[in-house]
Amino acid sequence: MKKAFLLLSVLLLSVSCSEYQKLLKSEDTGEKYTTAEQLYNEAKEEEDKSKFRKALRLFEQIVPKYRGKPQGEKLSFLFADTYYQLGDFYLSSYQFERFQQSYPNSEKLQEAAFKKAASYYELSPRYDLDQTDTRKAITELQAYLNTFPEGEYATRANELATELRIKLEKKAFEIAKQYHTTGLARAGNFRAAITSFDNFIKEYPGSPFREAAFYYRFDAAYQLAINSFASLMEERLEEAKTYYEAYVKRYPEGEYLSSMNASLEDIETRLQNL
């Protein structure tokens, strides 16, 4: 019985594949439309990527033929969403953009706007790589929120945008921190670190890396001072003290205070000796 059932399944699958291949080669646009939509719906219900791929091949053939026709709106959305469901986010972002431009009054406009932005979110790489797609995703998510502030996807859009902004903040923070790390090998990098952390603090006032930025700015200034020529040391020690005071003002019980207090004692001792 098991062998018979397996054989029947193989035969049915073979027949189904044969019919699908014939449909791909046929000129019956209406049948292709019906089958593609059916495959799309089954794929969503069953979470079946293979059916999405089959639907996509049919959509690719018929979408151009339905442009300007009543079915074109629905077909264009399904086409874009099939790319999205298959994880082809470059093409899904492009097709959702085309859908928005072609059907600005569609009831699917909100979903298309969100999924276009979400496509760019999925394309966003890890923080240490080029962040062009990250910035594009933030722009698109903000555009969605501006257009649909109470929209169905507003909460998720805010979450994604926040996550991406933190990624940009981490990249900027790590660049500044790299200057700090390499400062001992090249003293000029401490100055670059101070400038970078200054810019970071101004640009990202709500960042989770803000306290660390205040600390590393102070430490870069301290390291720059104690590795300076005698003629420059006093001025630079005083500068480091201002960064210490800026940290303490904002974080009186901060995570880095103990280490900074030890450095401050050294600063005071050196100033007295000078």
Side-chain angles (χ1 to χ4, degrees):
M1 288 295 292
K2 288 182 180 180
K3 288 182 179 179
F5 179 77
L6 180 60
L7 180 60
L8 179 60
S9 299
V10 170
L11 288 172
L12 289 173
L13 181 62
S14 177
V15 170
S16 175
C17 289
S18 176
E19 291 176 352
Y20 175 77
Q21 292 300 324
K22 287 180 182 178
L23 182 60
L24 284 175
K25 296 175 184 177
S26 81
E27 299 297 323
D28 192 338
T29 305
E31 181 63 23
K32 287 182 178 181
Y33 182 105
T34 301
T35 303
E37 185 178 4
Q38 180 182 342
L39 285 167
Y40 170 89
N41 290 331
E42 289 176 359
K44 286 201 79 171
E45 183 177 343
E46 300 167 13
E47 298 183 353
D48 186 338
K49 297 285 188 183
S50 65
K51 287 188 176 180
F52 275 125
R53 284 189 285 271
K54 284 185 176 181
L56 181 63
R57 292 185 67 187
L58 293 170
F59 285 141
E60 287 172 338
Q61 290 184 353
I62 63 176
V63 164
K65 298 179 181 180
Y66 278 96
R67 288 201 179 103
K69 296 181 179 180
Q71 304 97 321
E73 177 183 335
K74 181 177 184 180
L75 188 59
S76 294
F77 180 85
L78 296 181
F79 186 39
D81 196 50
T82 300
Y83 279 124
Y84 184 83
Q85 299 296 336
L86 286 170
D88 193 338
F89 297 114
Y90 278 112
L91 286 174
S92 65
S93 63
Y94 172 73
Q95 292 298 336
F96 280 125
E97 174 71 26
R98 292 193 66 180
F99 178 84
Q100 285 180 284
Q101 293 173 351
S102 300
Y103 306 101
N105 299 314
S106 173
E107 64 179 20
K108 286 289 191 177
L109 188 66
Q110 181 182 164
E111 185 176 353
F114 173 75
K115 286 187 172 179
K116 178 181 70 173
S119 294
Y120 282 108
Y121 165 84
E122 295 292 348
L123 292 171
S124 173
R126 66 177 192 261
Y127 79 89
D128 56 327
L129 298 177
D130 179 75
Q131 295 300 306
T132 299
D133 286 325
T134 301
R135 293 184 178 88
K136 179 65 174 176
I138 292 172
T139 298
E140 294 296 342
L141 287 164
Q142 192 58 56
Y144 170 85
L145 290 166
N146 291 342
T147 307
F148 308 102
E150 304 297 328
E152 179 182 354
Y153 307 96
T155 299
R156 183 60 179 155
N158 271 310
E159 292 173 350
L160 297 183
T162 297
E163 181 183 332
L164 294 178
R165 289 190 185 102
I166 290 174
K167 183 184 290 188
L168 292 181
E169 292 168 14
K170 183 173 178 61
K171 183 178 180 69
F173 176 78
E174 291 295 337
I175 289 172
K177 192 175 175 183
Q178 186 64 25
Y179 283 123
H180 176 274
T181 301
T182 59
L184 289 174
R186 185 179 176 187
N189 283 359
F190 282 131
R191 178 56 66 188
I194 294 168
T195 301
S196 295
F197 284 121
D198 268 336
N199 293 336
F200 181 88
I201 289 166
K202 292 172 185 174
E203 189 172 350
Y204 304 110
S207 173
F209 307 106
R210 186 174 171 81
E211 181 183 353
F214 271 92
Y215 163 70
Y216 282 109
R217 182 178 66 171
F218 161 75
D219 193 64
Y222 169 67
Q223 297 292 343
L224 178 65
I226 65 175
N227 288 285
S228 296
F229 293 113
S231 59
L232 298 172
M233 188 175 293
E234 182 174 2
E235 178 185 351
R236 290 178 173 178
L237 289 170
E238 292 290 355
E239 180 185 5
K241 282 181 65 176
T242 66
Y243 293 139
Y244 171 88
E245 290 161 2
Y247 176 93
V248 172
K249 180 179 179 180
R250 292 164 179 79
Y251 308 101
E253 298 180 3
E255 176 184 353
Y256 304 94
L257 197 55
S258 176
S259 173
M260 292 174 71
N261 283 338
S263 298
L264 182 65
E265 288 183 17
D266 183 53
I267 289 172
E268 296 291 6
T269 300
R270 288 173 184 269
L271 286 172
Q272 287 175 9
N273 291 336
L274 287 170

